[in-house]
């Protein structure tokens, strides 16, 4: 029978090998699911994970999809390190897009040099407001941030639906639930002419590096790490838990808001009810797959972005439902958390011995 | 007790071996307990004593080894099997339900309804017979630690054991309770119940035990009659090195200015089962060491939290550090005015065990060591600071990058004390300076504390270990029920007088000090 034994220390090898093992197991399990659906498992996994990259501009599409995931994943890895469980990045993403998008719609004729920075700031602040409310509720009323942040995610989604189908609906939009297109001056600058590759693709890795430096090298980052590992030691050192909760929620909220406003101004060019296909929730997987390390979040974000593209490819090429993406992500998170048992434990095969009399 | 003409040893264990991940806890350990014997199992923390007795009591399964009980080879897979053989054990931590009475608690441990018949009467009988006063109808919640221990002993005695294992029984008792316990244990031994007595308190072992097995690092190192050895000799066998005592310090002159003053410090405990501090007033002069004695759970952790600033005081003036009202300050601000603190719990309070020693040095030392520049950690200086602590306090480790949890308790404690001492504190408060620490490390810590006081700092040590307090302190006060008694000079105090204060309720204490002042 299998026996789980404590190692007594954290395995360095499995710290990096566990996510890779989780990926392999996810591939195998989704292959089985595809087989059960009567599809050739090898071809399906191939279509899901490789085909999107072989398309023309496949890597550009990947980078554009990954940018918001990385930004949010970075913010979450910071918060989660401090044991601040922000689950509502999707709401912060949405509120950021609403605030930034509102500025874009209100001042269509403003010059780009002034308008775009204002939109970005609006998005960032929108996310911070949402995150700040969560922090305030936790500190003031001891309300669990997992619940409040998640509830805010729904509130923001319905606020978006209300705005886009109500006061902000494009009067010339044939009744579609969307706002007017933003003016050209409101759109995110492109890195490559005539492509979707907007400035967020450059910002995401820069933010990841900046947060990594903050977390590993600064006093503030040290405080986050101590708070996450030993609350009493943080108190002994004189680090204020409340202040750190504020900072964690404001940064992770702000980065989600930034991701939201860049998605709106960089990819869509307007606000629609389907602004976020669950990016905020996917970002939670990104943060864990990246081992809550901002640098690790970059490849993790790229991989999860691939699952979105793969879902599209599987739908188009194989006629599979788009839910494949969600299934794949769910299986991945399951194995990721499960494989972490190998960090502190080893699994041994023990032969059943007859009991000593 | 009912065997006909018992002969040969009661219990013989040979080659007992237990491997834990990364630690060989017992390496071919032998132990022989004779009938009618009080046998000491001696060793420092981590020597493997607990593992050995857990194997006897069926809690831990040995990897190898032979157990012979009354001449028969046996295996003891569960505590139930141990009890059927006639082995009882009183653990260091009791397993009692606070809301139930003494009788109810004991009844819960019995397997069948038959055994419960007339239980109350039997409890009374055993408790009077063996000098273990207990009221069977009292609720455990209201009982002192000593009384709770008696419940556990009576619970064992109900089974008519032939061997009673006691794990560090005196660590929770006042000196007079210790004497009463010894009377009971001697009586039991004379009536045919052998005692296996686990301790690292050498005086007690010499007074009580007729044989001793000494362990070090998971192995047997000696078997001897403790009465034939001096405390110093026993300690040296135990730690395998020459034992020095700290050199006494010249006394402080009476007119040095007070550096730490508490003025009616009152703090409500945040913990539901904690002890609130009531009106604590005292002052410690520069160069002085004040010892706060007391049994665990009488407000010691609240006191250090209140002094370090983890729990702010109600009034700023209730804590004065070098004349500065610090009651409202947090820990970082108190460090800025040269207050340094060592909490009792190393893991997760004084240190983050999953972080490196350098990170842990930074944890409380970044302010006074100026280890931050423009918000960025000065890694070079942090490593140098950690390295300095390691060298000056002889911390056995691979270096400042080692994780704190890789260190033994004693080494980590040396590191944590060193971290505070090297910050040049004006006021140093240490809770349980040598709790769970080996004798060599304890000596190093004691010497560091004395040297610091010699240099003019005011030092408060809060300790359950009276020996430690008598060695170190210039004056001694007792904390009981969240109140601190009037300090008395160590040279005019006795173990008995301090012990009486430790055991007393706060009302007694007030009465006592009133008498003393009358």
């Amino acid at each position: 029978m299998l026996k789980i034994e404590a190692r007594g220390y954290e395995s360095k090898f499995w710290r990096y090998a566990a996510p890779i093992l989780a990926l392999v197991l996810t591939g195998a399990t989704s292959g089985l699911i595809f087989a059960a659906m009567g599809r050739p498992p090898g071809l399906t996994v191939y279509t899901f994970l490789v085909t999107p990259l072989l398309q023309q501009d496949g890597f550009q599409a990947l980078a554009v999809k990954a940018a918001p995931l990385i930004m949010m994943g970075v913010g979450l890895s910071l918060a989660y390190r401090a044991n601040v469980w922000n689950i509502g990045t999707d709401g912060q993403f949405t509120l950021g897009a609403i605030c930034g998008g509102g500025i874009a719609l209100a001042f269509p004729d403003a010059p780009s040099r002034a308008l775009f920075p204002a939109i970005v700031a609006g998005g960032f602040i929108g996310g911070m407001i949402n995150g700040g409310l969560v922090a305030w509720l936790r500190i003031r009323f001891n309300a669990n941030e997992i619940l409040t942040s998640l509830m805010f995610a729904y509130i923001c989604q319905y606020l978006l639906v209300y705005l886009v189908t109500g006061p902000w609906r494009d009067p010339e939009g044939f009744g579609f639930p969307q706002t007017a297109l933003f003016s050209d001056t409101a759109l995110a600058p492109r890195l490559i002419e005539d492509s979707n590759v907007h400035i967020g693709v450059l910002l995401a890795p820069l933010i990841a590096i900046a947060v990594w430096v903050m977390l590993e090298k600064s006093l503030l980052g040290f405080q986050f790490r101590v708070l996450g590992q030993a609350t009493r030691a943080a108190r002994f050192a004189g680090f204020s838990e409340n202040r750190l909760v504020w900072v964690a929620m404001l940064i992770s909220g702000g980065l989600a808001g930034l991701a939201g406003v860049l998605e709106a101004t960089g990819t869509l060019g307007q606000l629609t009810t389907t602004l976020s296909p669950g990016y905020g929730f996917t970002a939670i997987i990104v943060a864990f797959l990246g081992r809550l390390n901002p640098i690790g979040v970059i490849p993790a974000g790229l991989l999860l972005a691939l699952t979105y593209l793969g879902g599209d490819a599987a739908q188009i090429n194989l006629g599979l439902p788009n839910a494949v993406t969600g299934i794949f992500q769910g299986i991945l998170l399951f194995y990721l958390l499960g494989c972490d048992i190998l960090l502190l434990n080893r699994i041994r095969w023990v032969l059943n011995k007859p009991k000593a009399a | 007790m009912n065997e006909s003409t018992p002969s040969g040893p009661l219990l013989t264990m040979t080659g007992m071996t237990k491997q834990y991940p990364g630690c060989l806890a017992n390496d071919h350990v032998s132990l022989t307990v004779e009938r009618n014997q009080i046998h000491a199992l001696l060793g420092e923390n981590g020597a493997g004593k607990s593992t050995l007795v857990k194997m006897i009591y069926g809690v831990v399964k040995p990897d190898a080894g032979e157990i012979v009980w009354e001449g028969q080879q046996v295996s003891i897979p569960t505590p139930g099997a141990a009890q059927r053989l006639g082995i009882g054990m009183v653990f260091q931590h009791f397993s009692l339900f606070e809301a139930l009475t003494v009788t109810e608690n004991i009844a819960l441990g019995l397997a069948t309804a038959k055994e419960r018949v007339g239980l109350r009467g039997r409890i009374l009988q055993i408790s009077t017979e063996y000098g273990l006063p207990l009221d069977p109808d009292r609720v455990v919640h209201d009982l002192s630690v000593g009384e709770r221990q008696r419940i556990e002993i009576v619970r064992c005695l109900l089974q008519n054991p032939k061997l009673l294992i006691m794990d560090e029984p005196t660590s929770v008792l006042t000196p007079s309770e210790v004497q009463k316990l010894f009377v009971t244990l001697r009586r039991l031994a004379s009536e045919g119940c052998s005692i296996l007595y686990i301790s690292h308190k050498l005086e007690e072992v010499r007074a009580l035990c007729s044989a001793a097995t000494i362990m070090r690092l998971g192995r047997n190192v000696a078997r001897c009659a403790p009465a034939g050895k001096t405390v110093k000799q026993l300690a040296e066998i135990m730690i395998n090195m020459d034992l020095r005592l700290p050199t006494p310090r010249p006394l402080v002159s009476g007119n040095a200015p007070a550096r730490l003053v508490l003025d009616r410090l009152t703090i409500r405990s945040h913990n539901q089962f904690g002890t609130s501090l009531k009106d604590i007033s005292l002052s410690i002069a520069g160069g002085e060491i004040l010892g706060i004695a007391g049994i665990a759970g009488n407000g010691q952790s609240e006191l250090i939290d209140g002094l370090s600033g983890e729990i702010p005081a109600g009034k700023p003036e209730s804590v004065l550090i070098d004349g500065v009202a610090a009651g409202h300050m947090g820990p970082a601000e108190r460090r800025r005015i040269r207050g340094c603190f060592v909490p009792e719990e190393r893991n997760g309070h004084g240190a983050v065990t999953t972080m490196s020693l350098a990170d842990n040095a930074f944890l409380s030392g970044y302010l006074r060591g100026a280890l931050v520049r423009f918000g960025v950690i000065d890694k070079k200086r942090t490593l140098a600071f950690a390295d300095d602590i390691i060298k000056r306090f002889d911390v056995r480790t691979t270096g400042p990058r080692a994780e704190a949890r890789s260190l033994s308790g004693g080494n980590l404690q040396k590191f944590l004390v060193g971290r505070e001492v090297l910050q040049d504190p004006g006021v140093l408060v240490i809770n349980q300076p040598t709790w769970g620490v080996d004798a060599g490390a304890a000596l190093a810590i004691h010497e560091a504390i004395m040297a610091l006081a010699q240099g003019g700092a005011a030092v408060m040590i809060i300790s359950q270990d009276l020996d430690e307090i008598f060695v170190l302190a210039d004056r001694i006060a007792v904390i009981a029920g969240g109140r601190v008694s009037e300090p008395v000079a160590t040279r005019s105090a006795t173990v008995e007088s301090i012990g009486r204060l430790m055991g007393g309720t706060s009302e007694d204490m007030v009465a006592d000090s009133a008498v003393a002042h009358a």
Side-chain angles (χ1 to χ4, degrees):
Chain A
M1 66 180 192
L2 287 173
K3 201 176 162 204
I4 297 170
E5 271 185 359
R7 282 180 207 277
Y9 59 93
E10 190 182 300
S11 161
K12 288 242 154 58
F13 171 76
W14 282 106
R15 190 188 294 174
Y16 300 100
I20 294 169
L21 176 66
L23 264 178
V24 172
L25 290 171
T26 306
T29 309
S30 32
L32 283 176
I33 292 175
F34 295 142
M37 292 167 75
R39 318 276 166 160
L43 175 68
T44 314
V45 173
Y46 178 85
T47 310
F48 195 68
L49 292 180
V50 182
T51 316
L53 297 176
L54 302 178
Q55 315 270 317
Q56 200 186 356
D57 301 333
F59 282 96
Q60 289 185 12
L62 183 72
V64 170
K65 272 275 189 242
L69 292 177
I70 291 170
M71 283 181 204
M72 286 189 279
V74 165
L76 287 183
S77 58
L78 176 89
Y80 292 173
R81 283 271 200 108
N83 280 354
V84 175
W85 300 106
N86 179 7
I87 301 296
T89 25
D90 214 53
Q92 292 137 27
F93 177 94
T94 305
L95 196 63
I98 291 173
C99 292
I103 295 172
L105 293 170
F107 306 100
D109 302 322
S112 175
R113 208 177 290 172
L115 183 59
F116 186 69
I119 291 170
V120 169
F124 198 82
I125 291 168
M128 279 171 55
I129 290 172
N130 189 332
L133 278 170
V134 172
W136 180 72
L137 287 171
R138 165 163 160 174
I139 289 160
R140 180 69 181 77
F141 300 105
N142 202 17
N144 187 311
E145 73 274 15
I146 298 177
L147 297 177
T148 54
S149 63
L150 186 61
M151 288 192 265
F152 272 120
Y154 295 113
I155 293 172
C156 292
Q157 176 61 28
Y158 286 115
L159 178 66
L160 176 71
V161 170
Y162 163 72
L163 290 172
V164 168
T165 56
W168 290 5
R169 175 151 61 177
D170 182 6
E172 294 154 31
F174 307 104
F176 280 107
Q178 57 193 35
T179 65
L181 286 172
F182 300 149
S183 61
D184 285 350
T185 50
L187 295 181
R190 311 276 133 172
L191 299 179
I192 300 171
E193 287 289 328
D194 298 322
S195 77
N196 264 339
V197 183
H198 56 79
I199 193 158
V201 172
L202 179 67
L203 277 177
L206 291 180
I207 289 169
I209 292 166
V211 171
W212 181 82
V213 170
M214 190 275 268
L215 205 47
E216 298 297 324
K217 306 285 175 196
S218 77
L219 174 61
L220 182 65
F222 181 81
Q223 296 185 351
F224 276 113
R225 287 186 284 138
V226 173
L227 181 66
Q229 290 176 52
T231 321
R232 282 210 78 184
R235 223 177 294 152
F236 168 70
F239 305 154
S240 158
E241 182 174 356
N242 287 353
R243 201 184 120 226
L244 293 173
V245 170
W246 272 113
V247 175
M249 282 309 303
L250 289 177
I251 292 182
S252 61
L255 286 177
L258 181 66
V261 78
L262 288 174
E263 185 70 6
T265 59
T267 311
L268 301 173
Q270 62 184 163
L271 295 179
T272 70
T273 52
T274 52
L275 181 71
S276 161
Y279 280 155
F281 299 107
T282 305
I284 296 169
I285 306 177
V286 170
F288 279 109
L289 183 61
R291 301 258 70 150
L292 303 186
N293 177 336
I295 302 295
V297 160
I298 297 174
L302 288 168
L303 182 79
L304 269 296
L306 184 58
T307 66
Y308 278 111
L309 301 180
D312 292 343
Q315 196 175 13
I316 294 163
N317 296 350
L318 303 170
L320 280 168
N322 203 263
V324 168
T325 303
I327 291 171
F328 189 88
Q329 291 182 357
I331 296 171
L332 181 59
L333 182 62
F334 172 81
Y335 279 124
L336 266 178
L337 298 177
C339 287
D340 271 2
I341 198 175
L342 293 168
L343 288 182
L344 294 173
N345 300 279
R346 76 179 109 229
I347 294 180
R348 278 213 330 207
W349 182 256
V350 184
L351 289 177
N352 272 327
K353 271 184 287 187
K355 273 198 174 169
Chain B
M1 288 183 228
N2 39 21
E3 296 286 314
S4 56
T5 59
S7 63
L10 177 70
L11 171 72
T12 311
M13 301 171 87
T14 41
M16 302 304 291
T17 301
K18 179 69 194 178
Q19 171 83 54
Y20 286 120
C23 164
L24 187 56
N26 270 201
D27 183 5
H28 295 90
V29 177
S30 321
L31 173 73
T32 302
V33 180
E34 305 288 343
R35 289 170 203 269
N36 296 30
Q37 189 180 51
I38 304 183
H39 191 108
L41 187 55
L42 265 179
E44 295 189 273
N45 288 284
K49 303 177 305 248
S50 294
T51 306
L52 184 65
V53 295
K54 281 180 184 162
M55 290 194 286
I56 304 175
Y57 197 57
V59 180
V60 167
K61 202 175 152 207
D63 296 333
E66 194 182 68
I67 306 178
V68 176
W69 175 257
E70 299 194 301
Q72 303 277 321
Q73 192 179 332
V74 291
S75 82
I76 307 176
T78 62
Q83 282 164 16
R84 281 191 292 279
L85 290 174
I87 301 172
M89 178 156 176
V90 176
F91 287 91
Q92 220 173 342
H93 301 283
F94 310 140
S95 39
L96 296 169
F97 292 94
E98 300 254 331
L100 300 181
T101 66
V102 173
T103 311
E104 286 165 342
N105 264 290
I106 292 176
L108 276 174
L110 301 175
T112 62
K114 211 180 94 199
E115 291 177 280
R116 288 187 206 120
V117 178
L119 183 61
R120 190 176 172 280
R122 278 187 291 149
I123 292 172
L124 272 177
Q125 184 207 336
I126 286 178
S127 75
T128 40
E129 198 173 321
Y130 290 97
L132 298 162
L134 260 189
D135 179 348
D137 304 319
R138 291 271 302 277
V139 176
V140 169
H141 178 79
D142 301 328
L143 301 182
S144 72
V145 187
E147 287 171 300
R148 292 174 194 215
Q149 186 179 57
R150 281 178 229 148
I151 304 177
E152 295 281 8
I153 297 174
V154 168
R155 185 196 303 227
C156 288
L157 294 184
L158 279 168
Q159 314 266 358
N160 287 322
K162 293 170 193 155
L163 175 67
L164 183 62
I165 306 170
M166 304 212 61
D167 191 1
E168 304 262 355
T170 57
S171 60
V172 294
L173 300 181
T174 63
S176 71
E177 284 177 315
V178 169
Q179 292 312 318
K180 284 185 200 140
L181 176 70
F182 283 5
V183 172
T184 305
L185 294 182
R186 286 195 188 102
R187 167 101 193 264
L188 278 169
S190 71
E191 290 182 7
C193 176
S194 301
I195 312 269
L196 183 58
Y197 186 88
I198 304 164
S199 182
H200 62 258
K201 295 188 179 169
L202 304 167
E203 282 293 3
E204 287 180 2
V205 166
R206 283 191 67 234
L208 185 68
C209 304
S210 56
T213 296
I214 306 180
M215 292 181 70
R216 188 191 327 133
L217 299 173
R219 296 205 184 108
N220 289 106
V221 287
R223 195 189 146 94
C224 61
K229 304 259 182 205
T230 63
V231 166
K232 186 164 177 287
Q233 283 168 330
L234 286 174
E236 283 168 0
I237 301 172
M238 206 163 91
I239 64 174
N240 193 27
M241 59 183 268
D242 291 343
L243 188 75
R244 287 177 301 133
L245 288 171
T247 0
R249 228 155 29 92
L251 282 174
V252 201
S253 67
N255 49 13
R259 300 199 71 168
L260 175 67
V261 177
L262 304 186
D263 180 18
R264 285 162 287 159
L265 175 68
T266 297
I267 283 176
R268 270 197 61 178
S269 180
H270 288 203
N271 184 337
Q272 192 189 344
F273 300 106
T275 308
S276 297
L277 304 180
K278 295 163 199 110
D279 275 332
I280 295 178
S281 297
L282 51 84
S283 87
I284 310 177
E288 189 187 29
I289 301 177
L290 176 71
I292 305 274
I295 300 166
N298 274 289
Q300 287 94 333
S301 52
E302 286 79 5
L303 180 58
I304 190 157
D305 284 355
L307 291 173
S308 72
E310 285 183 59
I311 309 177
K315 278 185 303 182
E317 298 78 23
S318 53
V319 179
L320 296 175
I321 296 176
D322 278 331
V324 180
H328 279 186
M329 290 183 177
E333 290 166 286
R334 293 191 196 194
R335 282 190 193 109
R336 220 169 250 136
I337 53 172
R338 294 180 66 196
C340 287
F341 314 92
V342 183
E344 172 184 10
E345 179 61 57
R346 293 183 278 274
N347 304 332
H349 193 189
V352 186
T353 46
T354 47
M355 285 186 158
S356 70
L357 290 180
D359 279 345
N360 275 296
F362 181 87
L363 182 71
S364 82
Y366 74 94
L367 268 175
R368 301 201 46 74
L371 303 178
V372 178
R373 258 194 255 166
F374 308 110
V376 177
I377 299 171
D378 188 333
K379 191 143 193 196
K380 233 173 97 184
R381 289 187 66 160
T382 303
L383 282 171
F385 178 47
D387 214 38
D388 196 27
I389 302 171
I390 291 168
K391 292 221 171 73
R392 305 233 320 240
F393 284 81
D394 187 28
V395 179
R396 311 281 162 80
T397 173
T398 51
R401 287 187 176 83
E403 279 189 7
R405 65 176 157 190
S406 68
L407 269 64
S408 71
N411 272 311
L412 184 56
Q413 184 73 0
K414 278 198 281 187
F415 186 84
L416 298 185
V417 172
R419 174 180 75 184
E420 305 304 325
V421 166
L422 291 186
Q423 291 180 45
D424 184 27
V427 169
L428 178 71
V429 181
I430 307 188
N431 191 8
Q432 316 302 343
T434 55
W435 174 78
V437 161
D438 57 81
L443 177 68
I445 289 167
H446 287 167
E447 287 185 332
I449 291 171
M450 294 174 105
L452 189 73
Q454 194 73 56
V459 181
M460 178 193 286
I461 55 168
I462 306 168
S463 178
Q464 281 164 252
D465 185 346
L466 271 184
D467 298 343
E468 174 171 73
I469 285 189
F470 272 90
V471 168
L472 289 181
D474 301 301
R475 288 186 301 151
I476 304 176
V478 171
I479 187 165
R483 290 176 197 271
V484 173
S485 69
E486 187 74 26
V488 292
T490 304
R491 56 184 185 288
S492 61
T494 61
V495 172
E496 288 70 35
S497 67
I498 297 300
R500 210 164 42 240
L501 291 174
M502 284 164 65
T505 62
S506 47
E507 284 74 28
D508 294 343
M509 279 173 51
V510 173
D512 278 3
S513 58
V515 170
H517 287 270

